[in-house]
Amino acid sequence: MLYRKLPRTDLEVSLIGLGTMTWGEQNSQEEAFEQMDYALEQGVTLFDTAEMYPVPSRAETYGRTESIIGAWLESRGNRDKIVLATKVAGPSVHAKHIREGQSRLNRNNIEVALDASLRRLRTDRIDLYQLHWPDRAVPLFGSRDYSPPGRDESVPIEETLEALEAIHDTGRVRYFGLSNETPWGAMRFLRLAEERGWPRMATIQNAYNLLNRTFDSGLSEVCHHEDLRLLAYSPLGFGTLSGKYLDGARPDGARITRWNRFSRYQGPNAEAAIADYVKIANEAGLEPAQMALAFVNGRSSVASNLIGATTMQQLRDNIASVDLQLPGEVRRRIDRVHSRYPNPCP
Ligand SMILES: NC(=O)c1ccc[n+]([C@@H]2O[C@H](COP(=O)([O-])OP(=O)(O)OC[C@H]3O[C@@H](n4cnc5c(N)ncnc54)[C@H](OP(=O)(O)O)[C@@H]3O)[C@@H](O)[C@H]2O)c1
């Protein structure tokens, strides 16, 4: 395994991070335990979860993934070997079951969410506490363009940062991160932290994969100059970059077969781009999924590539991508497809 130090922190994260959002829905607790045991054996130390998981998010399963991780941490007694990252949900019409639809990023909600996460995770501290998505109206989860809100009712970033400062002071959280954030949002959080001495964001967890490199147009510059690091999520575009859904195929039990409403990786040009990436991999003698993961691993802004797996075979293959260096010709061919179909799945 390779490791990346997060600038201005004493945290080091494994280049492959373990995504957890299938546990408690697609995967049982027993399967999750097997994944965690194996990942840790392979040197994967960053585990990423969220109060909201598993997905799809439902009232009946809310918090279940954290509970599974908590049970594992307790049974294995290895809390100190893990960099534990979780997230507080922001407001969403799709998450009416979280704090009765009022999950604004204000002090009270953050306190309540953190306490509940700590209880479920059976620990007294979170290494990286992330804001799952902004409190503001910004393009999210597949929407492309910003449209200014008529009336801005978002919780001011100042108020959120004050709340984070308060929980940091109690020792329950070591560092903080953003997620699904924009360049303006990231800069605003960093600027205010600098001016007022509030906690400084260490990471930004955004989607990053061959079908969505929007991070590279604005955020990568922010990350470079501001010592922020990317935790790349959905590196396989929900599994689509393996090629297994091409030509209308719907493999039994796979995420998009089970929940067709996950439409983010099915937009215009997605299929054509995926077919081209799969062709590049096949012609280079690579597994398409491995090529897609190795692409993410090789990007300089990426501190950790958050993989997801529903089987042990997928987990083994995905972790092994850390050993694959893409030849220059493969990278050039990838860039040509990217120019032809830029970011079909933002
Ligand atoms: N911050 C956020 O808003 C956000 C959003 C999404 C994810 N995340 C984080 O990122 C993690 C990973 O996200 P993700 O699960 O969407 O990642 P992904 O790599 O895009 O998709 C993973 C899924 O693809 C399929 N798959 C994995 N390896 C495969 C392989 N080698 N061949 C074929 N299919 C394969 C599996 O699903 P099937 O077996 O069902 O096909 C697996 O669950 C999450 O667990 C979470 O921690 C964060």
Side-chain angles (χ1 to χ4, degrees):
M1 186 49 55
L2 298 170
Y3 298 88
R4 301 273 187 263
K5 170 111 169 30
L6 299 180
R8 308 195 204 191
T9 75
D10 57 6
L11 278 189
E12 193 178 66
V13 294
S14 46
L15 181 55
I16 300 291
L18 188 60
T20 64
M21 73 182 194
T22 57
W23 307 347
E25 181 68 64
Q26 260 179 296
N27 288 112
S28 65
Q29 170 159 314
E30 196 186 349
E31 289 165 341
F33 273 36
E34 196 184 358
Q35 287 200 18
M36 288 185 271
D37 287 337
Y38 177 78
L40 184 58
E41 253 171 55
Q42 297 301 308
V44 173
T45 50
L46 175 64
F47 289 13
D48 176 71
T49 191
E51 60 162 330
M52 192 194 89
Y53 293 167
V55 295
S57 173
R58 303 189 278 133
E60 302 74 34
T61 57
Y62 166 81
R64 205 184 265 175
T65 308
E66 285 186 331
S67 298
I68 291 174
I69 297 170
W72 181 83
L73 289 170
E74 192 169 271
S75 92
R76 304 299 192 258
N78 55 14
R79 172 67 187 87
D80 290 343
K81 296 191 178 137
I82 302 300
V83 175
L84 189 55
T86 191
K87 314 183 193 80
V88 53
S92 168
V93 289
H94 303 296
K96 293 259 183 267
H97 54 282
I98 304 181
R99 293 178 280 285
E100 294 164 350
Q102 296 301 315
S103 51
R104 314 308 307 253
L105 294 175
N106 59 30
R107 180 152 183 177
N108 187 49
N109 281 337
I110 290 174
E111 284 280 352
V112 167
L114 175 65
D115 279 343
S117 284
L118 288 168
R119 250 194 327 275
R120 285 188 292 265
L121 289 162
R122 305 191 202 180
T123 183
D124 58 1
R125 69 183 191 287
I126 304 297
D127 297 305
L128 184 68
Y129 199 48
Q130 305 158 99
L131 308 176
H132 205 150
W133 56 86
D135 196 287
R136 318 181 310 282
V138 293
L140 278 176
F141 307 121
S143 60
R144 205 176 275 276
D145 298 324
Y146 177 71
S147 45
R151 232 180 41 209
D152 187 2
E153 293 176 333
S154 56
V155 171
I157 290 177
E158 287 86 338
E159 191 177 330
T160 302
L161 274 170
E162 263 187 311
L164 300 187
E165 167 84 344
I167 58 176
H168 181 254
D169 284 350
T170 63
R172 288 173 294 168
V173 171
R174 294 177 66 201
Y175 297 101
F176 295 93
L178 300 165
S179 180
N180 297 297
E181 195 40 280
T182 66
W184 182 83
M187 280 307 302
R188 185 90 191 131
F189 270 97
L190 291 165
R191 167 80 59 85
L192 284 166
E194 207 166 284
E195 286 174 3
R196 317 265 184 101
W198 287 326
R200 187 176 203 283
M201 293 295 166
T203 53
I204 176 165
Q205 181 178 145
N206 278 25
Y208 191 74
N209 54 56
L210 289 174
L211 302 169
N212 178 5
R213 294 162 63 173
T214 50
F215 168 88
D216 290 332
S217 33
L219 279 165
S220 65
E221 185 182 17
V222 172
C223 286
H224 174 72
H225 290 297
E226 302 293 331
D227 278 347
L228 197 62
R229 287 294 175 271
L230 175 63
L231 305 182
Y233 80 68
S234 295
L236 291 179
F238 273 26
T240 58
L241 284 161
S242 67
K244 67 184 176 184
Y245 297 105
L246 283 176
D247 302 319
R250 288 293 178 268
D252 272 354
R255 188 184 298 172
I256 292 173
T257 308
R258 285 183 67 166
W259 298 286
N260 191 44
R261 68 185 160 97
F262 283 142
S263 56
R264 186 171 185 178
Y265 296 98
Q266 302 180 70
N269 289 332
E271 172 101 356
I274 293 165
D276 281 1
Y277 289 125
V278 167
K279 185 161 180 269
I280 295 172
N282 289 340
E283 288 177 3
L286 301 169
E287 278 299 320
Q290 287 250 317
M291 182 186 86
L293 294 172
F295 168 80
V296 175
N297 296 340
R299 308 298 283 182
S300 61
S301 307
V302 172
S304 191
N305 179 2
L306 302 177
I307 59 162
T310 60
T311 67
M312 286 305 293
Q313 187 59 50
Q314 289 175 0
L315 186 68
R316 280 190 284 272
D317 290 349
N318 297 353
I319 291 175
S321 72
V322 77
D323 298 320
L324 175 64
Q325 306 284 333
L326 294 182
E329 179 53 17
V330 167
R331 283 186 273 120
R332 282 187 287 280
R333 290 188 68 190
I334 284 175
D335 281 344
R336 285 201 288 276
V337 177
H338 175 56
S339 308
R340 200 155 55 244
Y341 304 112
N343 306 319
C345 308

